[in-house]
Each structure stands twice: as C-alpha cells, then as structure tokens.
C-alpha cells in the first residue's frame, strides 16, 4: 500500500478509458476526495505484510492486488475501496490468496463498499451519488481463495480460478483442508464489477474458490456485476444474508461440488440476467451437495428461475419466486429446469431435492409449465406477497443499497 500525489494522473487516465464504457448514463465527474491527502490512498502492489485499511479513508486499487500467503488484510468499517477501470490483464481486483486472510468487518450502520473509481461515493454514504445500479464491468471484483476440496476434472487437487490470468499463481485454489479459514466478510457491498480479462472470461462480483468452513461470510450484497453475482467453486464455506441485484449473467452460480449453505438470500434480476440460480454438478469423482434455504427471487422477462445441470445435487427449500415471464412465450425463459441425464438421475435418487417452493405466476400459467421435470410436486402457487417462505428482508435494512433504493419490497 502506498500514498502518492500522482493520484490525479491515475484518475485522468481512468476517466479517458471509462468515458467509452458507460452507455445511457451521463459521464461522471470523478472526485473521490482530496488527491494526495491521507484520506485517499492508492494501492499499487501486492499486500505482503499484515495491513490495515482505516475507517474514513478511500483505497484505490491500481490493478490486480493480492493479499499473499501468510498475511492478513484488515478493512475497518466504513472503508471504501475503488478499483481502477481496466480490462484484460489490467483489470483491477482484490484477491485473497490461499493461506492469506481478509478481516473485512463493516457494520449495519457503516458498511464496507467495493466499487469503481468512477463512483463519487464517499465514506458515510450508502447509495452512489452519480452511478446507476445497473452499470457493470467497470472494474474486477473480490476473490477469496482457500485450501478446501473441490471436484475438479481429472481429480487434481488445485486449479486456477476463472477471471485471473494463469500466470498469476495467487489465483490457485483447492486442497484438502475443508475447515480452512480465509477470514471474515461482514456488511460488505460490491458494485459495478465484472471486468473482462479475455473472451468470455469475466470476474464475478464475489468469487469463492475452495474457501473453507471456518471462514465467516455474512451480510453481503453484489450490485451491477457484468458476470455472476456470487459464484462458488468447490469449498465448504457457508454464506448468510446475501443480496444479488442486476447480475449480467447468473445471480448465484455453484460449481465443483461446493458443500456449504446459503441461508437467507435475495435475488433481484436485471435486464441481462440469465439465470437467477445456475447450479452445476461435480467435475471429478468427489461428490458433495450444498443447500440453498430461505430465498426471495424477483424475475423479469429475460431471466430463468434456475438451471440445474451437469449432475447438480443439493437441497433447495423455502424459496419464493415472482415476477417471471410465461416460459411458453419467451422460449423457455421463466422456468426451473433439470438439464442432462445425470441431473435427472440425481433428482430421481434423492441427491437433488426441493421443498416448500412458492411462486406467483403469470395469469394462465400452471406450476408444471414453470417447474420442470417433476419439481412442480414441491411447489405451490401463491398470490403476490402472500408467500409464507422466502428471505427475512429486515436484515438488509440500513446498510444495503438495495434497501435504500426500495427494491426489496415485493411488488
């Protein structure tokens, strides 16, 4: 971490790139504080010692920054982290490498915010004063990597995380320590990320690769990410109280036999969201399933409830879906599907289970038209807002942009 009086030059360079990235929004004025002061600090190199980012300050990621093995990055409540605009190898991101630790603990009144350098947000604010919540791809994202197991092709024990060039070994994840501890993430909002490092290779808002069960992740939101909102690659970490709003691809994506639980979640699909839930199966011989419980999922005309594929397995219960289209009018959008023989077999054999699913459907649409492959047996149709399952929305008060914007109301 360094302070520098060259921040003005960095910001001007970013602005030139950024001016071609925004569509349908006014070109923002970038002024993240007083350049050169103690309140705006540029991070230009990997974190190789125990480091603390302090309340009241803004930290600018000038590129891909890794917390390296054996070191801890502590981020105090209210800190704002802004990523420089860039794509390819120049995409900015924060990586917590295997064997490193993040201790990012915001509060319900003073959350930690990760966003783009183009965001004029200042410490103490929740909503951006100049950017819309559907702007995507303006920086990378947050990646946490660990030593827990994953199910990888060829039964290898470690792989490179997507979104990070293979030349960067800080992008490796996987191992055999299912109780691995990568630290704590609480009251954190991640916005406007998903920069592309190569064709079809974007960074997720929050990427969890091989993260172990001793890691604590609670009260997180991901807004306006160009790729997936939250994606799990193996590991055993559980997540509690999560919001994904305006994902550009899938809101919640699971891969490689993640074996944790997501409890109390909200998905608000955006104009480019593909699946609210994309659930993939194991890639190697190691088989494990995960649990999604207590979720509220708001759709639109382009998104699907979910796609369960490639031998998906796990437990999905107490989830409420609403505002989706008629799948027969939208080429299959707006349904929950089981894809592939392995997935269908897992469902038949009880390795993929559903219970207490509720949905508010378009008039004239039946449960069997929406919940495919026999999953309609575990679903009930309800009037809008009459659901008895779903997320506890009260836990997202005060600290989340989604709450401040009023989009958590079921309507």
């Amino acid at each position: 971490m360094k302070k520098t009086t060259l921040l003005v030059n960095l910001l001007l360079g970013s602005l030139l790139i950024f001016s071609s990235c925004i569509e349908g929004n006014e070109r923002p004025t970038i002024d993240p504080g007083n350049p050169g002061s103690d309140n705006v600090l540029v991070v230009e190199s990997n974190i190789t010692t125990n480091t603390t980012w302090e309340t009241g300050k803004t930290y600018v990621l000038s590129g891909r920054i890794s917390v390296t093995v054996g070191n801890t990055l502590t981020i105090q409540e209210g800190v704002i982290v802004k990523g420089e605009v860039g794509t390819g190898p120049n995409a900015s991101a924060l990586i917590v490498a295997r064997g490193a630790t993040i201790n990012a603990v915001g509060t319900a009144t003073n959350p930690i915010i990760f966003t783009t350098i183009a965001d004029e947000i200042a410490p103490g604010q929740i909503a951006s004063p100049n950017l819309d919540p559907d702007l995507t791809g303006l920086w990378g994202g947050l990646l946490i990597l660990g030593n827990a197991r994953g199910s990888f092709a060829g039964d290898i024990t470690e792989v490179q995380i997507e979104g990070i060039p293979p030349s960067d070994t800080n992008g490796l994840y996987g191992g055999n320590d299912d109780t691995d501890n990568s630290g704590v993430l609480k009251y954190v909002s991640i916005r406007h990320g998903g920069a592309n490092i190569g064709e079809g290779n974007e960074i997720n808002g929050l990427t969890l690769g091989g993260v172990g069960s001793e890691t604590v992740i609670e009260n997180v939101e991901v807004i306006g990410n160009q790729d997936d909102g939250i994606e799990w690659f193996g590991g055993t970490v559980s997540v509690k109280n999560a919001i994904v709003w305006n994902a550009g691809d899938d809101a919640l994506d699971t891969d490689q036999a993640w074996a944790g639980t997501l409890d109390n979640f909200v998905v608000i699909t955006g104009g480019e969201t593909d699946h609210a839930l994309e659930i993939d199966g194991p890639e190697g011989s190691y088989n494990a399933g995960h649990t999604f419980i207590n979720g509220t999922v708001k759709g639109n005309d382009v998104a699907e409830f979910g796609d369960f594929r490639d031998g998906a397995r796990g437990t999905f219960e107490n989830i409420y879906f609403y505002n989706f289209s008629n799948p027969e009018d939208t080429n299959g959008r707006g349904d929950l599907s089981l894809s592939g023989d392995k997935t269908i077999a897992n469902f038949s054999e009880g390795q993929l289970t559903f219970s207490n699913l509720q949905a508010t459907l378009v008039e004239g649409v039946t449960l069997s038209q929406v919940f495919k492959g026999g999953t309609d047996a575990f679903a009930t149709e309800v009037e809008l807002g009459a659901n008895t399952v779903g997320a506890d929305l009260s836990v997202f008060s005060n600290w989340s942009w989604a709450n401040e914007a009023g989009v958590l109301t079921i309507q």
Side-chain angles (χ1 to χ4, degrees):
M1 180 188 70
K2 294 182 179 179
K3 292 189 294 182
T4 177
T5 57
L6 296 178
L7 180 58
V8 173
N9 291 332
L10 288 169
L11 300 182
L12 288 176
S14 293
L15 183 55
L16 290 174
I17 299 172
F18 179 71
S19 63
S20 65
C21 297
I22 294 184
E23 297 178 0
N25 288 268
E26 295 297 323
R27 177 177 174 178
T29 299
I30 299 177
D31 182 15
N34 180 13
S37 76
D38 287 340
N39 292 326
V40 181
L41 306 172
V42 178
V43 185
E44 296 180 307
S45 58
N46 287 344
I47 296 168
T48 58
T49 61
N50 292 340
T51 299
T52 298
W53 292 353
E54 300 175 348
T55 297
K57 297 182 179 180
T58 296
Y59 295 80
V60 178
L61 305 176
S62 66
R64 190 172 64 251
I65 304 297
S66 295
V67 186
T68 58
V69 59
N71 299 297
T72 297
L73 172 63
T74 298
I75 305 178
Q76 295 180 346
E77 64 180 87
V79 165
I80 294 179
V81 182
K82 297 187 177 184
E84 284 279 8
V85 175
T87 58
N90 297 317
S92 59
L94 181 63
I95 304 170
V96 181
R98 286 189 305 183
T101 304
I102 187 169
N103 184 29
V105 182
T107 67
T109 56
N110 206 13
I112 295 165
I113 296 173
F114 287 82
T115 187
T116 168
I117 190 68
D119 195 342
E120 295 176 5
I121 194 168
Q125 295 179 309
I126 299 295
S128 171
N130 68 309
L131 299 184
D132 291 340
D134 57 354
L135 278 172
T136 68
L138 302 185
W139 70 292
L142 174 60
L143 303 94
I144 303 177
L145 309 177
N147 291 287
R149 284 183 296 172
S151 183
F152 310 135
D155 287 336
I156 58 178
T157 59
E158 65 176 21
V159 292
Q160 184 78 359
I161 198 70
E162 70 174 29
I164 301 302
S167 58
D168 187 347
T169 57
N170 289 309
L172 288 169
Y173 69 99
N176 56 17
D177 183 4
D178 285 346
T179 61
D180 192 29
N181 187 348
S182 295
V184 181
L185 203 68
K186 287 186 177 182
Y187 293 104
V188 171
S189 182
I190 304 167
R191 308 167 177 186
H192 310 299
N196 196 326
I197 74 159
E199 186 62 32
N201 193 9
E202 298 91 0
I203 300 174
N204 304 302
L206 176 60
T207 297
L208 302 170
V211 179
S213 61
E214 291 298 309
T215 308
V216 176
I217 301 179
E218 298 178 358
N219 302 300
V220 296
E221 75 171 349
V222 178
I223 299 172
N225 202 77
Q226 186 164 290
D227 195 42
D228 300 332
I230 304 174
E231 186 162 7
W232 293 260
F233 296 87
T236 53
V237 65
S238 292
V239 177
K240 185 175 182 179
N241 303 335
I243 300 172
V244 176
W245 177 21
N246 287 330
D249 189 11
D250 307 311
L252 301 169
D253 194 343
T254 68
D255 305 88
Q256 299 172 338
W258 169 51
T261 295
L262 173 62
D263 182 6
N264 204 62
F265 64 93
V266 175
V267 169
I268 305 166
T269 59
E272 297 182 353
T273 304
D274 188 8
H275 305 100
L277 314 178
E278 181 174 290
I279 312 300
D280 292 281
E283 297 176 5
S285 61
Y286 166 61
N287 292 325
H290 49 269
T291 298
F292 276 27
I293 187 170
N294 303 323
T296 297
V297 181
K298 182 177 183 179
N300 56 34
D301 289 342
V302 300
E304 291 190 59
F305 283 42
D307 188 12
F308 295 75
R309 59 192 199 175
D310 298 329
R313 55 181 61 212
T315 300
F316 299 82
E317 60 182 88
N318 298 348
I319 304 174
Y320 172 52
F321 300 88
Y322 71 103
N323 203 53
F324 285 85
S325 65
N326 180 346
E328 295 191 357
D329 293 338
T330 54
N331 195 29
R333 313 307 293 177
D335 67 14
L336 186 153
S337 58
L338 306 181
S339 300
D341 292 342
K342 290 182 180 179
T343 302
I344 293 169
N346 284 346
F347 177 60
S348 176
E349 296 166 6
Q351 295 167 331
L352 173 63
T353 65
F354 301 89
S355 63
N356 294 331
L357 305 181
Q358 295 183 359
T360 299
L361 304 179
V362 176
E363 185 176 355
V365 175
T366 66
L367 287 170
S368 62
Q369 289 175 298
V370 171
F371 292 92
K372 302 292 189 178
T375 59
D376 60 306
F378 306 96
T380 304
E381 184 177 2
V382 298
E383 295 294 324
L384 182 66
N387 53 300
T388 59
V389 302
D392 175 3
L393 303 178
S394 67
V395 301
F396 303 112
S397 299
N398 301 322
W399 65 273
S400 72
W401 189 4
N403 178 76
E404 184 156 319
V407 297
L408 295 180
T409 303
I410 296 176
Q411 58 184 12

